[in-house]
Each structure stands twice: as C-alpha cells, then as structure tokens.
Amino acid sequence: MATITKTTISVAELDQMIERADSFLLLDVRNQDEFERWKIEGRNPVETLHIPYFQFIENEEESVTRVPKGKPIVAVCAKGGSSEYVANLLRERGYEAMNLEGGMVAWGNYYRVRRIEEVKDVALYQIMR
C-alpha cells in the first residue's frame, strides 16, 4: 500500500504547527533581501533554513544535500510557485516536503481571531497576525 504524503499546507495549518511547537523545518526559498526583510515567526521559535530558489535551479544536488532529513519540511516563497517546485523536488528524493499555499502573500493576509471574553453585550476579541 502506497503512503500518501500531504503536498500542501495552508497558512492556518502552519500557524497551528507553530503554536503547538511541532517539529518541522521551514525552508524559505525567497531571495536574500526578501528573506532579511520579513520572516515567518510565531510565539514559539521556527527552525528556518534559507536557500534561494535560484540555487536549486543552478545547483540542484548541492542545494538538496543542504536540507536535513528526518522532519517535515514546509517550503515557502513569495506566492507559492517557486516553493512548490522545490517541495516537489524534495519529495522526489524522499523528503516529507509540503508547499505553503499562497506563500508569504497568504501568510501576510492571515489573521487568527480568538474570542477572549464577553461581558453583557460586549465581546472582546484578540486578533493575531
């Protein structure tokens, strides 16, 4: 029986993985300047490896060997296209790799809303980005 591996992950699912402090590696394949300006963070530390997409194109073998095995990998880029390519490449080589749907654009548009308290007719919500 073949094992079905999940190939994509939503920003809500990634947020929950970070909140639970799940063991995974975030593989950011954006350019250096984009990576330095803004990273995925959360209440718990996020183990992140930065290898730009173009390095996978120019030297596939060397780039793949830099990615450690043994834990799930979530690949991310600006919009989800480049990271989809890298996640597919890694899965072909036996990695448990998923692509973040919508990339950093989707992450930036994501808000987690939590109801904190209700007193009489007023409700208090916390909005986390």
Side-chain angles (χ1 to χ4, degrees):
M1 178 181 233
T3 302
I4 298 173
T5 301
K6 185 172 178 151
T7 61
T8 62
I9 185 170
S10 71
V11 292
E13 291 171 306
L14 177 60
D15 180 49
Q16 289 304 306
M17 288 173 66
I18 294 169
E19 279 295 304
R20 291 188 306 257
D22 289 357
S23 177
F24 71 96
L25 175 68
L26 184 72
L27 176 60
D28 195 317
V29 300
R30 294 175 298 150
N31 293 330
Q32 184 69 32
D33 60 330
E34 294 172 322
F35 177 73
E36 288 174 359
R37 273 196 309 259
W38 184 36
K39 299 174 183 76
I40 291 180
E41 300 173 310
R43 181 173 22 176
N44 296 306
V46 179
E47 182 183 358
T48 304
L49 175 63
H50 177 239
I51 305 174
Y53 166 77
F54 71 85
Q55 289 184 13
F56 282 94
I57 299 299
E58 291 176 359
N59 195 335
E60 180 179 303
E61 205 53 49
E62 180 182 309
S63 297
V64 169
T65 59
R66 291 180 55 201
V67 180
K69 282 192 171 183
K71 64 176 73 174
I73 296 167
V74 177
V76 62
C77 67
K79 297 178 184 175
S82 299
S83 54
E84 180 180 29
Y85 170 83
V86 172
N88 286 336
L89 180 70
L90 292 172
R91 276 193 307 278
E92 289 171 0
R93 295 173 181 240
Y95 289 81
E96 183 184 344
M98 299 170 281
N99 181 42
L100 181 63
E101 297 170 349
M104 291 300 285
V105 170
W107 181 258
N109 291 326
Y110 174 73
Y111 296 90
R112 181 170 16 112
V113 179
R114 182 175 68 139
R115 188 178 191 141
I116 303 291
E117 184 178 346
E118 184 174 341
V119 178
K120 294 188 181 186
D121 295 334
V122 178
L124 178 63
Y125 291 87
Q126 180 181 28
I127 301 172
M128 293 168 275
R129 181 175 178 159

